[in-house]
Each structure stands twice: as structure tokens, then as C-alpha cells.
């Protein structure tokens, strides 16, 4: 069925074209003008046998017609005629064109290329030392369409600095200004298209793919660029291969079989095919005949819209085909223009006039430009009227026209008269040129490329030939409408093409083999987290922590013996009890300081010992809470120095009891006087000075330090006071332990006298309480968690205070409160008749026992 634009042909043209009568369309490929533009188009296709069997440098015969190439040539002709009819672009000047067939073969394209460089109005290329003043037949060249041809012609035209604007050659190599100084193109380079393809694979999570390319410069360089882009995005190429171009007498079938066999063996579900149409045709022909598994094919622009591939029987069975096509402006007038050109080509009067007007010197050199173009029908060209490269041809002509307009310094009134512009002069104005075409503003960058958007196309089968549906776009970033994509899988499920499953959060990949996409998932251990590159677990810094399979680290909370912890609260209750009992006992002793009981307990020394016990209780408040260097230094001296003061008063009482009980009366009276009064305070002072000296040495030589331990606790940072020397820590306790031991010996071995209060018993049990407390403290401190060590020291001090209170002071307080009748000199101080008799008799053998 003819498209609507073609249905509008006049009845007369329909009748003549429908009969297949010869046309004069080939004669319209040349038009004279003030400045002539050359054109290279694939109007025909050469026979493969003719190309492979060439033994002489003769031109092959191009017999088969390429409808797309003819339409692109007509698009250039339309653009030239539009410019000639405009008053704002090259006013007063007329552009001409000279269009030739390339047959899609470099050997064919070289002859018209030589013709373009021939001297104006001749067929000769003269040899000069300097071509600055050389004026060739054409000012610039539009084309060719393929990268393979552009590589050949680009170097050739580059030597003469003749501007060349291709409408389809996208190979990245052509961006090299050193090699192709005069090459421009109105299509983006392959790198842009391949970047979009790589992002497409990344968007769908396909990281295990095959990459195939045609065995030519186009395919090889495309695969090279894609390999680098894929590696940068974590996409693994399971298999990379080249598809040979179909040539006569070449082992094509075996190579294609090998390529497809390797693709199927790799178990990939997605294949990138960056190939020419002929190579893609050969690959799919074997794939269809062998009934290979269906896959997702990511097509290059070269074969995505190729009639040769799209019309292949059974092509609908290969799977899902996706690819990118550049987005250009719609040329709404082009269909009508083609209709007019075909109608004129069927008019004998027009053809006769055209033949006389446009005869050229090259007819006897290159022959008729396109003899097969004179035998077309409307149906031959109707399918390609909306081909995406038509706009690229149109824009290429406008780019040269704008550069010429700028070179001639034309304005609204016209172009100044001057010598004809040389190609190298035009080239100066092509660099970084901004021009307008079809309502779009385009610009050549420093590499001669233009930036254009791409449409993501999907093959949708609704007939023998697929239709191209838009399912996304790429303009530097990729956007996809996934709901419009019809997959070849059951239930329209998106295919999965991965060597290994995606790792979960908190897992990293341990690569196995040569491909980074094949891996085992390994959990990140506690103290590490999944790094952004997903390849290794990263350890947290020392002030952070993380659980297993974590994706981030958390800040460590400072851990110390806090005031609100249950153990501290219990110890604070014990602290309140101990301090309350100490204050109560001190109050009773001060109130009854002149009583025999208080005097027998040491008098003011007893009150002093209670004050020291109170200070010991208060010192435990330095252990809970966040440690500081000052706290760490003050903990041991503040607790042990007052305990020394308390124990020094006990040693005086123990010595007094021992002297009175175990020594003769004469000695006892003499020594008892030394154990009371100022001499007693001197003993207390000496003991405390000794302990103070030990504490000072401990703080100077081995000062305890506040440390933060980042590794002891899994999620917290332990802040504690650390003793730098356990030996020095033990020496601080040595003074108190010695005093307690001597006190215990002095009271445990003495014999009490009947009828008197047994003062030795209270001291004995007080010292036992001291030893039990601190002997238990040592193993407990060594084995308990570091965070609880301050609590152990608090408990030891408070239990020691409570033990001394319970064994020595509280029984006396009980007598003061509950049995005041016993508070007599005879009971406590031994000033009764029995005591006098014992002293007069000097009886030291009198047996007594502890109550």
C-alpha cells in the first residue's frame, strides 16, 4: 500500500510511473551553479562476485538499486533548491550539485572523489607544489554514508583541505583532527550511541552480555569503544567476536557458526551487535536456519533500520530488538518533493530540456550516474520517505551553505563580489560553525561532530516487516518507558542476563574466574561495612562500629560506669547507709566524748577515726561517672589516705591493749602513757605521712591514666582509668595492710580480764572484716569486666567501712544508747577493786577469755 504522500501524485504521473516507463531521474543528479557541491550516495549495490574477481583497476558494475540512497540524494537536491530560492542565505548566488553513486564500496567511491578534485571545467588533477590557488570542480563534498568509505575519502579530501560533511559515518576514528582535518558530520559519533547502549544495559541490570561486531573498521572500533564503556560500568562481556562480511569464496558459514556457538555456550541473554547490515544479515540468516535460542539484541544504528535485515524471513523469531536512532527534524515537504521529482522524471519534455542543459564532461569517464534510478516505481521508494538519515543529508547541505555565507560575508542585500572561494577558505568557517536546518539549531564541535538526541526504538511485529516504536530517549541521560516494551519471554517478563545474582545489602562480591560479574556473595563481618564499589568490606574507624552485613558504620557511644546504672544505684544506697552510720556514730561519740566508753575507745582519736571513715565513704563518689585525668589521679589517694588514718588509731588501741594485758605492770604504766596524748597523734601523723609518700611516688612514677578502649566492647568505647603498674598499686595498699595485720596480731593474742569490756574483740573482728574485704577484692578485680572495676572498688571501700563500723563502733554506740548503766570506769577503764588487786599482785598469769 502506498503511503499518503505518494497517493497524492497526479493521475498522469501515476499512469506513467505505474507502467514502469523509463525515467530521466539520473539526469537530475547534476545541476550547475556558482558553487557546486559534490555528493556521494549509495545509489546502487555492487555484485559480490565482480568485486572479488577484479584483476584490473576497472570499476565494478552497480546494478541493484538502493532506494534509501536515492532518497538521500533527492534530499540533498531539495536542500540545494531551497537555498537557491531563499533571500536570506547566499542571496544572489546559486548553488549546484554533482551527485555520484558509491555502490557502498571504497573502490567505486574513489572515482567520483577524483572527479571532484579535478580542476574546474576539466577532468584533470594537476600536480602542484602549492594548492593554495587551486580551484577544484566542487567546493565541498556531502557524504559518504558509511564509516568504511569515509575513512578512505576523508584522508584523500583532507590532503586538499576540502570540507567533507558526512550524513551517516559515525566511527569515532573520524573525530581525529590530525588524521581527518576537513571531515565533519551531521550525526553523532559512535561513542555517543555506544554510551547510550551501555546505559541501557546498566538500566536493565544486564551485566553479562555478548558483544559482536562486523569484521571491518566500523565493527572493530565499535567493539573497542564498547568494551571500555562496559568495563567502566561493571558490565562483563562474556564473549566478544567478529562477524565476517559476506564475500565470495570465503568460509563465511563456518565463522558465523563458530561465533553463534560461542554466544550460546556463554548462556548470555543479551547480545550487542555493532555491525554493518550485510554482516548482520549473514549472522541472522544462520541463526534463523539453526533455530537458535531467542535473545535480546541491542542493535547499532547501521542495521536497525536496514531493509536487508528487517525483511529477512523468520526475523521475528530472533527475540527482542532494541536500538538507538538519532532524532532529527521532520521534513514535511520531502514527500511532496519526491512526488514532484518523479512526476517530472516521467515528463519527456522536461527530460529533453534537462539533457541539453545539464550535460557534463564526466559522462564518458564515469558513464551514466545511476541507470537503475530510471527504472523505479513509486513502491520502490515509498517505504523510506521518513528515514532518519534524510534529515542528516538535509542538514549537511545547510551547514556548507551557512559556512559559505559567512566566508563571503553576505548580508541581506547580497554577497560582495570577490574571487571564487577556495575549499580551504571555506574550511576556516566550518570549524565550530552554528547553523540552522529544519527548525533546529546545530553546531559543529571542535571534532566536527554535532550533538543530537537519540530515540530508543523497539521492533514491533505487526506484519512481514517490523515497525519501529519509541520506548525511550537519550540526551546525555537515559529515559525508558518500560511499559511500552514487549519482551520475547513468557508473560512479557524482562530477561535476566547476569552471571551471578545481585548481592544483598551488607554483602560484597568475591570474584571467581576472570570476569568481575561472576562472584560469590560474602557477608561483611561486624566492624566492617559494604563499600560503595561492592568489592570489599571496609573496616570502620576506631570510633565507629557496625553489625554483621551492614552498609554503614555507627558512632560508638562512650561507655563508663554511669550514675544511673543499677549497680551504681545499689552502691549509692550502700554509701548512704555507711555515711549515715558514720555520722550517727560520730555524733554519739562527740556527745559522750568524756564518758568512759569513748575514752576507752581512744577519745578524740576515736572521733578522728570516724571522720576518716566518713572521708573514705565520700571518696567512693570519685569512681562513678565519666572519668577524667584528675579523677584518675585522685581516686586511690583520696580513699587510702583516710583509711590509713583510721587504721593508725586502731593500732594505738591494739598496742595499748597488748601492753596492759601481756606486759608487767611497771612496763605497762610506762608504755601506756606513750600511747596516749601527743605521742599517739604523732604515730597517726607518721603513718599518714608514710602513706602520703607512697601515694605521691605512685602518682609521680606510675600515674594512672584515662584511656579510651575502642576494641574491648563491640558497640561502645570504654573510657576508664588504667593502672600503669599493678605493683605500685599494691604498694599503696601496703601501709594499710601492715597496720591492719599488726593490729590483728596485737588483739588476737591478748587475754581479757573478767568483769571488763573486751576491747580486743571489736578490733579483732574489724581487722578480719578488712582482710576479708580486700582479699576478696583482688581476684574479683582481676576477673571482672573493666567497665565494672570502679564498682568493685566502690563496693570494697564501702564494705570495709561497714565492716569496721559493725565490728568496732556500732557495739559501743549500742551501749551508749541502750545500756548506759555499763558506761562506767570500772567496766571500760578497769578502775575497780578487782583491778587494783590484780595490779598489786602483779599476776600476769590470770587467765581470761574473749567474750
Amino acid at each position: 500500500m502506498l503511503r499518503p504522500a505518494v497517493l497524492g501524485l497526479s493521475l498522469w504521473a501515476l499512469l506513467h510511473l505505474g507502467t514502469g516507463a523509463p525515467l530521466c531521474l539520473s539526469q537530475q543528479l547534476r545541476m550547475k551553479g556558482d558553487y557546486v557541491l559534490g555528493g556521494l550516495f549509495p545509489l546502487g549495490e555492487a555484485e559480490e562476485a565482480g568485486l572479488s574477481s577484479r584483476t584490473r583497476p576497472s570499476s565494478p558494475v552497480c546494478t541493484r538499486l538502493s532506494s534509501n540512497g536515492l532518497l538521500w540524494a533527492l534530499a540533498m537536491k531539495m536542500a540545494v533548491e531551497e537555498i537557491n530560492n531563499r533571500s536570506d542565505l547566499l542571496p544572489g548566488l546559486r548553488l549546484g550539485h554533482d551527485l555520484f553513486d558509491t555502490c557502498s564500496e571504497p573502490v567505486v567511491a574513489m572515482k567520483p572523489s577524483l572527479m571532484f578534485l579535478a580542476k574546474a571545467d576539466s577532468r584533470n588533477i594537476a600536480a602542484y607544489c602549492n594548492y593554495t590557488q587551486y580551484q577544484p570542480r566542487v567546493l565541498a563534498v556531502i557524504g559518504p554514508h558509511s564509516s568504511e568509505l569515509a575513512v578512505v575519502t576523508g584522508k584523500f579530501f583532507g590532503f586538499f583541505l576540502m570540507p567533507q560533511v558526512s550524513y551517516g559515518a559515525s566511527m569515532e576514528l573520524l573525530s581525529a583532527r590530525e588524521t581527518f582535518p576537513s571531515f565533519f558530520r551531521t550525526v553523532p559519533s559512535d561513542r555517543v550511541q555506544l554510551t547510550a547502549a551501555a546505559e541501557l544495559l546498566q538500566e536493565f541490570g544486564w551485566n553479562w552480555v555478548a558483544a559482536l561486531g562486523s569484521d571491518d573498521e566500523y565493527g572493530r572500533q565499535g567493539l573497542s569503544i564498547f568494551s571500555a564503556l562496559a568495563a567502566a560500568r561493571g558490565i562483563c562481556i562474556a564473549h566478544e567476536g567478529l562477524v565476517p562480511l559476506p564475500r565470495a569464496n570465503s568460509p563465511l558459514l563456518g565463522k558465523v557458526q563458530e561465533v553463534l556457538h560461542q554466544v550460546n555456550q556463554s548462556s548470555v541473554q543479551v547480545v550487542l551487535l555493532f555491525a554493518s547490515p550485510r554482516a548482520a544479515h549473514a549472522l541472522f540468516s544462520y541463526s534463523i536456519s539453526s533455530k537458535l535460542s531467542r535473545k535480546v539484541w541491542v542493535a547499532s544504528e547501521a542495521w536497525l533500520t536496514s531493509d536487508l535485515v528487517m525483511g529477512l524471513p523468520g526475523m521475528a523469531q530472533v527475540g527482542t530488538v532494541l536500538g538507538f536512532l538519532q532524532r532529527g527534524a521532520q521534513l514535511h515537504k520531502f514527500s511532496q518533493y519526491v512526488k514532484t521529482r518523479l512526476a517530472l522524471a516521467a515528463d519527456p519534455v522536461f527530460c529533453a530540456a534537462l539533457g541539453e542543459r545539464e550535460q557534463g564532461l564526466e559522462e564518458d569517464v564515469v558513464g551514466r550516474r545511476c541507470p537503475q534510478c530510471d527504472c523505479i516505481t513509486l513502491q520502490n521508494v515509498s517505504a523510506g520517505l521518513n528515514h532518519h538519515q534524510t534529515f542528516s543529508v538535509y542538514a549537511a547541505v545547510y551547514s556548507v551553505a551557512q559556512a559559505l555565507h559567512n566566508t563571503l560575508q553576505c548580508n541581506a542585500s547580497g554577497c560582495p563580489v570577490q574571487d571564487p572561494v577556495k575549499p580551504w577558505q571555506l574550511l576556516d568557517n566550518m570549524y565550530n560553525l552554528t547553523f540552522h536546518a529544519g527548525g533546529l539549531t546545530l553546531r559543529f564541535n571542535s571534532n566536527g561532530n554535532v550533538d543530537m538526541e537519540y530515540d530508543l526504538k523497539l521492533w514491533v511485529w505487526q506484519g512481514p516487516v517490523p515497525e519501529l516504536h519509541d520506548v525511550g530517549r537519550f540526551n546525555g541521560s537515559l529515559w525508558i518507558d518500560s511499559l511500552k516494551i514487549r519482551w520475547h519471554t513468557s508473560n512479557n517478563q524482562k530477561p535476566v542476563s547476569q552471571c551471578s545474582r545481585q548481592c544483598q545489602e551488607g554483602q560484597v562480591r568475591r570474584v571467581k574466574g576472570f570476569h568481575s560479574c561472576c562472584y560469590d556473595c560474602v557477608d561483611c563481618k561486624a566492624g566492617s561495612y559494604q563499600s560503595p564499589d561492592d568489592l570489599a568490606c571496609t573496616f570502620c574507624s576506631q570510633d565507629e562500629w557496625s553489625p554483621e552485613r551492614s552498609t554503614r558504620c555507627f558512632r560508638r557511644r562512650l561507655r563508663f560506669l554511669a550514675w544511673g546504672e543499677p549497680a551504681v544505684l545499689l552502691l549509692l544506697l550502700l554509701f548512704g547507709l555507711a555515711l549515715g552510720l558514720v555520722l550517727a556514730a560520730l555524733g554519739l561519740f562527740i556527745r559522750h566524748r568524756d564518758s568512759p566508753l569513748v575514752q576507752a575507745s581512744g577519745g578524740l582519736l576515736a572521733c578522728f577515726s570516724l571522720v576518716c571513715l566518713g572521708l573514705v565513704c565520700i571518696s567512693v563518689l570519685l569512681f562513678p561517672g565519666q572519668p577524667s585525668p584528675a579523677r584518675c589521679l585522685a581516686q586511690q589517694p583520696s580513699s587510702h589516705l583516710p583509711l590509713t588514718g583510721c587504721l593508725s588509731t586502731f593500732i594505738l588501741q591494739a598496742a595499748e591493749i597488748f601492753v596492759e594485758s601481756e606486759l608487767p605492770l611497771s612496763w605497762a604504766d610506762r608504755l601506756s602513757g606513750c600511747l596516749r596524748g601527743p605521742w599517739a597523734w604523732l604515730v597517726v601523723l607518721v603513718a599518714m605521712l608514710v602513706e602520703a609518700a607512697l601515694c605521691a611516688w605512685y602518682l609521680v612514677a606510675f600515674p594512672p591514666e584515662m584511656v579510651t578502649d575502642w576494641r574491648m566492647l563491640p558497640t561502645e568505647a570504654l573510657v576508664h582509668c588504667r593502672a600503669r603498674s599493678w605493683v605500685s598499686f599494691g604498694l599503696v595498699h601496703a601501709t594499710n595492710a601492715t597496720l591492719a595485720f599488726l593490729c590483728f596480731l596485737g588483739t588476737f593474742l591478748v587475754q581479757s580480764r573478767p568483769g571488763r569490756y573486751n576491747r580486743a574483740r571489736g578490733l579483732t573482728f574489724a581487722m578480719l572484716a578488712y582482710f576479708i574485704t580486700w582479699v576478696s577484692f583482688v581476684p574479683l578485680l582481676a576477673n571482672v569486666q573493666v567497665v565494672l572495676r570502679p564498682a568493685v572498688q566502690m563496693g570494697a571501700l564501702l564494705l570495709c567501712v561497714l565492716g569496721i563500723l559493725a565490728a568496732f563502733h556500732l557495739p559501743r554506740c549500742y551501749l551508749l544508747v541502750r545500756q548506759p548503766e555499763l558506761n562506767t570506769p570500772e567496766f571500760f577503764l578497769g578502775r575497780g577493786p578487782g583491778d587494783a588487786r590484780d595490779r598489786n599482785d602483779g599476776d600476769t598469769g590470770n587467765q581470761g577469755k574473749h567474750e
Side-chain angles (χ1 to χ4, degrees), residues 168-240:
S170 56
M171 189 186 298
E172 176 69 12
L173 176 65
L174 296 168
S175 297
R177 272 283 166 254
E178 298 81 3
T179 308
F180 305 96
S182 63
F183 182 83
F184 300 85
R185 52 188 164 191
T186 52
V187 294
S189 73
D190 287 335
R191 180 173 294 277
V192 180
Q193 181 187 171
L194 288 168
T195 300
E199 292 199 10
L200 174 69
L201 299 178
Q202 192 174 30
E203 177 70 19
F204 285 121
W206 297 328
N207 61 3
W208 185 240
V209 301
L212 305 178
S214 52
D215 192 7
D216 54 14
E217 193 69 23
Y218 172 75
R220 285 190 291 270
Q221 189 172 75
L223 287 186
S224 176
I225 296 173
F226 177 74
S227 297
L229 293 172
R233 289 165 172 78
I235 299 172
C236 297
I237 300 178
H239 173 72
E240 185 173 344

Side-chain angles (χ1 to χ4, degrees), residues 567-581 617 620 791 794-802 805:
V568 175
L569 295 177
L570 181 62
L571 290 171
L572 289 178
L573 290 177
L574 199 63
F575 161 77
L577 174 63
L579 185 60
L581 292 176
C617 290
V620 301
M794 288 178 65
L797 291 171
L798 292 175
L799 289 177
C800 181
V801 170
L802 288 173
L805 285 173

Side-chain angles (χ1 to χ4, degrees), residues 456-661:
L456 177 60
K457 299 289 186 178
L458 171 71
W459 278 13
V460 178
W461 293 90
Q462 296 178 347
V465 177
E467 296 180 0
L468 295 178
H469 287 194
D470 289 340
V471 293
R473 64 175 177 269
F474 179 80
N475 55 359
S477 60
L478 181 64
W479 174 84
I480 300 176
D481 189 352
S482 301
L483 298 178
K484 292 184 179 180
I485 300 179
R486 302 176 188 175
W487 302 107
H488 64 271
T489 56
S490 58
N491 300 324
N492 196 32
Q493 294 294 317
K494 182 189 73 174
V496 177
S497 189
Q498 297 176 342
C499 181
S500 301
R501 66 175 179 86
Q502 287 292 108
C503 291
Q504 300 178 3
E505 287 190 352
Q507 293 182 324
V508 295
R509 296 173 291 168
R510 184 172 59 193
V511 177
K512 53 183 181 181
F514 299 102
H515 295 287
S516 62
C517 299
C518 299
Y519 50 82
D520 294 323
C521 294
V522 180
D523 294 343
C524 287
K525 296 181 179 180
S528 63
Y529 67 97
Q530 176 189 356
S531 57
D533 59 10
D534 197 30
L535 293 176
C537 297
T538 303
F539 288 101
C540 300
S541 60
Q542 68 174 4
D543 60 342
E544 295 178 326
W545 71 279
S546 68
E548 289 188 356
R549 293 185 59 175
S550 178
T551 57
R552 58 182 292 259
C553 291
F554 304 91
R555 182 71 62 179
R556 286 181 179 269
R557 183 174 61 88
L558 294 181
R559 178 74 166 92
F560 47 84
L561 192 65
W563 288 96
E565 293 190 25
V568 175
L569 295 177
L570 181 62
L571 290 171
L572 289 178
L573 290 177
L574 199 63
F575 161 77
L577 174 63
L579 185 60
L581 292 176
V582 168
L583 293 177
L586 180 61
L588 283 175
F589 272 48
I590 292 176
R591 183 178 179 182
H592 301 88
R593 59 184 177 276
D594 296 328
S595 65
L597 185 150
V598 175
Q599 291 299 317
S601 301
L604 291 179
L605 286 175
C607 296
F608 177 75
S609 68
L610 285 172
V611 171
C612 290
L613 289 179
L615 293 176
V616 173
C617 290
I618 294 174
S619 70
V620 301
L621 299 179
L622 294 174
F623 291 93
Q626 183 171 352
S628 64
R631 279 193 174 198
C632 293
L633 293 173
Q635 283 175 354
Q636 302 304 323
S638 63
S639 59
H640 291 287
L641 197 58
L643 188 58
T644 301
C646 176
L647 294 177
S648 63
T649 63
F650 288 165
I651 194 65
L652 289 172
Q653 294 189 53
E656 185 179 354
I657 294 172
F658 179 80
V659 167
E660 290 179 354
S661 301

Side-chain angles (χ1 to χ4, degrees), residues 95-106:
L95 290 180
H97 59 74
D98 211 356
L99 313 183
F100 286 94
D101 184 14
T102 65
C103 265
S104 299
E105 289 292 340

